[in-house]
Every structure is written in structure tokens, then in C-alpha cells.
Amino acid sequence: LAKTTQPISMDSYEGQEVNITCSHNNIATNDYITWYQQFPSQGPRFIIQGYKTKVTNEVASLFIPADRKSSTLSLPRVSLSDTAVYYCLLHTGKLIFGQGTTLQVKP
Amino acid sequence: DTEVTQTPKHLVMGMTNKKSLKCEQHMGHRAMYWYKQKAKKPPELMFVYSYEKLSINESVPSRFSPECPNSSLLNLHLHALQPEDSALYLCASSQTETAYGYTFGSGTRLTVV
């Protein structure tokens, strides 16, 4: 199964833009890139998914270069409530979680 | 209804007990999943059901027994668990097994004593 690599943790301040980069060098042709957010003692929540180029929704943007070997989740103007673990996953059939990035937003 | 509901929210059981976790969704999703999550670790896939049939068993010990009585319900029967089985058990659903955008429940916090 293709693996993803992302930073273990990141710190930011309220109002800043946060970019979390995920590496997936062995991504397969059929893989979609998907990001989930998880708060403590809750289930993960789907944020965004994409195949190539850029995808934007009301929560985040996802940037994927042409070679698709990495992707960047962009969270605009974060608030304290964005403190969570963010998972980058490659989705072909079953959803397998990697270690995730713990984002700490400070006041 | 856009939720996955899991009951109970908390469960404490002895190693000789038999208990069941319940998961329900009314979104018309035909794929349902059980994940196990230990503290500060990512969720680990346990079972996948597709159209009420077991599709994937990720080599889970037989003391965990899944059941899908109908398209809206998913159970996880527990028997003779060990303390190391204590974890957050998460249920999820998606439109089909290959569809994107899983909806997760809030989980059942299980403690085995």
C-alpha cells in the first residue's frame, strides 16, 4: 500500500494561514488524495479530496503538483478551534490512516 | 440524517464478559466500517462491510465478531477481550466501498478490566 509522510506536529497562531504538506512518492494512478481532521475523542471528519491541481471548498484548499508525489492542505486564517490532528490519506478502496499532523493553534 | 450514531459512548467490561457495540446510519450508505484507535495513534481498520456482506477482515482476532443485520446497522460483538483491547472503537460509513468521504461516528470508548 502507498504510504504518506507528513510532519508530526505544527504550531501556528490565530489568524495565520497554515500549510501542511504530505509526501506520497509511490502514489498510484487510481489514488485520490484525501484529508481528514480529528478532534480528541471524536471520529475523523472528512475535509477535502483531490486528484490533481487545486481543489477548494468552504473549509480548506488542496494543492497537488503535476507529478502528484506530494500535496499541501491549506487552512486559511486558523482559529483556536482548528487545533486538531490532520491526516493525509491515499484512497484506493479501503481508507488507511498514517500518523497525522497535530496542529496546535495558539492565541 | 447525516450522522453515524454509535452506542454506547462508554463501556467498561471484564475479560470474561460478552458485550456488543452498535452503529447506525440512515444515509443510505451501503458500506460500513469498524476502526480501532489507541491513544495518540491513528485509527486502524478492522472490518469492512459492503452491501451487508463482510468484504475485508484485517486479520482481527476472533474475540471481535462483526455483524451487519441490515443496511443501516453494524454491530461488533466482543468476547473474552484483553486489557490491551481497550481503545476507542469507531464506526464509519460511505456510499459504497469505493466511494470517497467516509462519515465517522464519535466512537465507543472501551475499557477492559
Side-chain angles (χ1 to χ4, degrees):
Chain A
L1 290 175
K3 283 186 62 175
T4 61
T5 303
Q6 49 184 126
I8 297 292
S9 63
M10 293 181 69
D11 288 342
S12 182
Y13 291 91
E14 283 191 291
Q16 289 188 333
E17 177 185 72
V18 170
N19 296 311
I20 306 175
T21 297
C22 179
S23 173
H24 27 80
N25 291 319
N26 297 320
I27 188 169
T29 304
N30 294 333
D31 285 338
Y32 273 71
I33 299 154
T34 309
W35 287 80
Y36 281 76
Q37 174 193 56
Q38 187 177 24
F39 299 111
S41 297
Q42 293 188 26
R45 182 177 75 101
F46 172 81
I47 300 175
I48 197 167
Q49 74 171 31
Y51 186 79
K52 60 180 178 180
T53 64
K54 176 184 174 181
V55 180
T56 297
N57 62 22
E58 64 277 7
V59 176
S61 294
L62 179 59
F63 300 91
I64 306 168
D67 66 6
R68 301 198 336 118
K69 292 185 183 300
S70 66
S71 59
T72 299
L73 175 73
S74 181
L75 304 172
R77 297 180 300 281
V78 294
S79 64
L80 295 176
S81 62
D82 293 315
T83 293
V85 179
Y86 292 82
Y87 293 101
C88 167
L89 304 97
L90 300 181
H91 195 167
T92 317
K94 55 188 180 181
L95 202 61
I96 304 297
F97 287 81
Q99 290 303 310
T101 297
T102 299
L103 173 65
Q104 180 70 49
V105 179
K106 303 175 182 179
Chain B
D1 189 352
T2 59
E3 290 187 343
V4 171
T5 303
Q6 290 188 244
T7 54
K9 292 195 182 305
H10 301 273
L11 178 63
V12 179
M13 62 183 291
M15 289 186 284
T16 58
N17 291 161
K18 287 184 179 181
K19 296 286 184 183
S20 296
L21 309 185
K22 180 179 173 181
C23 173
E24 194 166 3
Q25 57 88 14
H26 297 287
M27 295 177 282
H29 289 176
R30 302 312 299 270
M32 297 185 76
Y33 313 84
W34 281 114
Y35 283 81
K36 172 184 177 180
Q37 187 173 27
K38 303 280 278 183
K40 299 191 184 302
K41 296 291 186 183
E44 297 175 34
L45 182 64
M46 300 175 71
F47 302 103
V48 178
Y49 271 82
S50 179
Y51 290 88
E52 295 104 71
K53 293 193 186 313
L54 184 63
S55 173
I56 296 174
N57 176 343
E58 291 286 328
S59 303
V60 179
S62 59
R63 57 186 184 268
F64 296 91
S65 176
E67 178 196 21
C68 190
N70 59 56
S71 60
S72 300
L73 279 174
L74 186 66
N75 298 320
L76 186 63
H77 302 298
L78 313 172
H79 173 55
L81 294 193
Q82 302 297 310
E84 58 264 30
D85 296 320
S86 298
L88 181 67
Y89 288 84
L90 294 162
C91 175
S93 70
S94 62
Q95 286 190 331
T96 64
E97 192 175 351
T98 55
Y100 306 105
Y102 287 19
T103 302
F104 281 83
S106 295
T108 294
R109 174 74 61 188
L110 174 68
T111 303
V112 182
V113 298

